[in-house]
Amino acid sequence: MKASLSLIRLVAIAGSVLMLAGYASAQEQYVRFEGTTCTATPYLHCPDSECSGPTVINEGNVVEMKTRRTYFLDYPCDLKKGEKITFVLSLHGAGSYGNWQRNYFPIMDYKDKYRLVIATPNSPTRVWSEADDQYLQNIVNFVFDQIGRENIKAFWLVGHSQGGMTSNRIVRTDFFKDKVDGWLSLSGGRLGGSPGRGATFAPTGSAPGAAPAAGAAPATPGAARPAAPAASPTGAPPGMAAAMAALREPPANDFSFIYETGRREMDDKGLPETSDWAKKYNCGTRSNPQEIVDTKAGYVYDTSRLNQLRPGWGLMPAPGKAEVYTFPDCKDGRIVADVVRIDKGHTEGLEPKVTEELIKLMLSAKGGKLQQVH
């Protein structure tokens, strides 16, 4: 009898050991970026409404070890070693923060479905400049080293407002120009001809000719209004003038380009029907619009300027519609597209379905530049 009980215990222990070993083996197959944790619900995700000031101004829980500056890194918790992913570097606008950007363009909600790795950094001055370039390059190199260039099927820059202008500047630099497969500009300038600005775009109180604090973080009710970046003598925040000047000449390198904007940000002429960037790739005539209907509002907005009632700058988040225009049959598999959110301004966070449509456009474009870099 004692011998039978001992045998049973031995079998039970052996089974437990094998089970634990199998679990550990399975865990070892998943990618964990060094210095990060991974949770099913993204860290500091805003609720559906009334996202708090302390939440949106957070600068992330991942440390870039060379500069000791922080950032956010979102990726699928079940990401397997050797799995192919799309890497996105997402830049906030002037006067804003990394976590506001994450919730303004919430692609982290789709990281599992579309196998995305998303880095969202912060500028300590809240306005991007060349002083931030090494920090951004360090983040990109970290992701490359951790996951392997061979596993990154496409690398996209995303930027809201001055973050878009910064994307336009850095995509021309030696570090980025042979790596980036595409740029998504969220009201950050349109390659191939930009629309005019609407009369209610700039918030009141700005210095004459000054660019607004694009992407300014919302404040909690009763909280102090976030400070806008100081204007330079020319009237634009530091780094803004150079970024705007860069938009006047198209980049020489090749990549896909998607432009998204709110209808209320533009003047009465609206979006140009043609695009010089589309002509560069011999794309076809712009398509009729595809309508996207969102029944759910975005997560964030600029609460600090709601009393100014500037629709071009942005009002409260709300459900809405968007129109997607594509220039078909571009050579070399490039994508050129425009997306206009109807009845939206500059700072209302993007809604779920239009966010997902932008991801689909990004993923439909040709990638693979990193595999060509030696």
Side-chain angles (χ1 to χ4, degrees):
M1 182 67 178
K2 289 182 178 180
S4 298
L5 289 173
S6 297
L7 181 60
I8 292 171
R9 290 193 189 100
L10 183 62
V11 171
I13 291 170
S16 298
V17 169
L18 289 172
M19 185 183 298
L20 289 171
Y23 175 78
S25 177
Q27 290 296 101
E28 289 172 1
Q29 299 304 311
Y30 295 141
V31 172
R32 289 293 178 267
F33 288 84
E34 185 178 347
T36 73
T37 57
C38 194
T39 57
T41 301
Y43 176 63
L44 292 180
H45 195 302
C46 283
D48 287 347
S49 63
E50 301 302 324
C51 195
S52 71
T55 296
V56 296
I57 68 172
N58 194 283
E59 297 186 354
N61 60 344
V62 181
V63 178
E64 195 289 294
M65 297 305 293
K66 293 181 180 179
T67 61
R68 308 301 297 182
R69 288 164 58 177
T70 58
Y71 64 101
F72 291 91
L73 189 63
D74 295 292
Y75 58 94
C77 295
D78 62 348
L79 184 62
K80 295 180 177 63
K81 294 179 180 179
E83 184 178 346
K84 309 303 181 186
I85 59 92
T86 297
F87 174 41
V88 178
L89 180 66
S90 184
L91 305 182
H92 63 70
S96 192
Y97 302 87
N99 204 33
W100 197 90
Q101 173 70 8
R102 286 172 79 231
N103 288 278
Y104 173 80
F105 181 51
I107 53 174
M108 57 185 171
D109 290 346
Y110 298 95
K111 62 183 176 64
D112 297 332
K113 182 175 181 179
Y114 293 105
R115 315 314 282 173
L116 307 174
V117 174
I118 311 137
T120 312
N122 302 268
S123 169
T125 63
R126 296 165 61 199
V127 182
W128 298 106
S129 71
E130 291 182 2
D132 300 300
D133 287 4
Q134 190 60 58
Y135 160 68
L136 298 178
Q137 293 171 22
N138 292 345
I139 292 171
V140 170
N141 281 331
F142 172 77
V143 172
F144 289 177
D145 292 344
Q146 291 282 301
I147 203 165
R149 289 169 179 252
E150 69 278 7
N151 297 317
I152 300 174
K153 60 185 180 181
F155 173 28
W156 276 75
L157 296 178
V158 173
H160 176 225
S161 196
Q162 197 251 344
M165 297 177 192
T166 300
S167 299
N168 181 39
R169 178 181 63 80
I170 65 175
V171 77
R172 307 161 187 259
T173 62
D174 289 342
F175 180 85
F176 285 98
K177 67 183 181 182
D178 59 355
K179 299 178 179 69
V180 171
D181 295 294
W183 166 29
L184 166 59
S185 172
L186 304 172
S187 303
R190 180 179 183 265
L191 293 176
S194 286
R197 283 299 186 200
T200 64
F201 174 76
T204 57
S206 298
T220 53
R225 169 178 164 174
S232 70
T234 59
M240 184 77 81
M244 292 175 69
L247 279 172
R248 297 180 190 132
E249 296 296 331
N253 45 320
D254 293 316
F255 54 86
S256 294
F257 178 70
I258 303 168
Y259 177 67
E260 178 278 331
T261 191
R263 179 64 186 86
R264 289 171 172 167
E265 298 182 62
M266 300 185 286
D267 63 17
D268 291 341
K269 295 179 180 178
L271 191 71
E273 293 185 4
T274 61
S275 163
D276 289 342
W277 197 253
K279 291 178 183 177
K280 176 179 178 178
Y281 297 106
N282 298 322
C283 306
T285 303
R286 191 182 75 173
S287 67
N288 291 325
Q290 171 195 354
E291 186 177 77
I292 305 296
V293 179
D294 266 291
T295 58
K296 183 178 177 182
Y299 295 116
V300 297
Y301 61 107
D302 184 359
T303 65
S304 68
R305 295 185 174 98
L306 277 180
N307 62 337
Q308 296 179 7
L309 297 177
R310 309 285 290 183
W313 182 250
L315 302 175
M316 292 280 290
K321 296 180 180 180
E323 294 177 341
V324 179
Y325 300 87
T326 59
F327 294 86
D329 304 320
C330 302
K331 72 177 182 180
D332 299 330
R334 306 293 177 194
I335 291 293
V336 180
D338 295 314
V339 178
V340 179
R341 297 162 66 211
I342 309 303
D343 296 330
K344 299 294 178 180
H346 194 62
T347 57
E348 293 122 320
L350 275 73
E351 301 79 25
K353 289 187 178 180
V354 70
T355 297
E356 185 171 17
E357 186 62 30
L358 287 166
I359 295 170
K360 290 178 180 178
L361 285 170
M362 293 163 67
L363 297 186
S364 68
K366 177 183 178 180
K369 271 195 178 182
L370 287 173
Q371 285 74 51
Q372 300 169 16
V373 177
H374 300 289

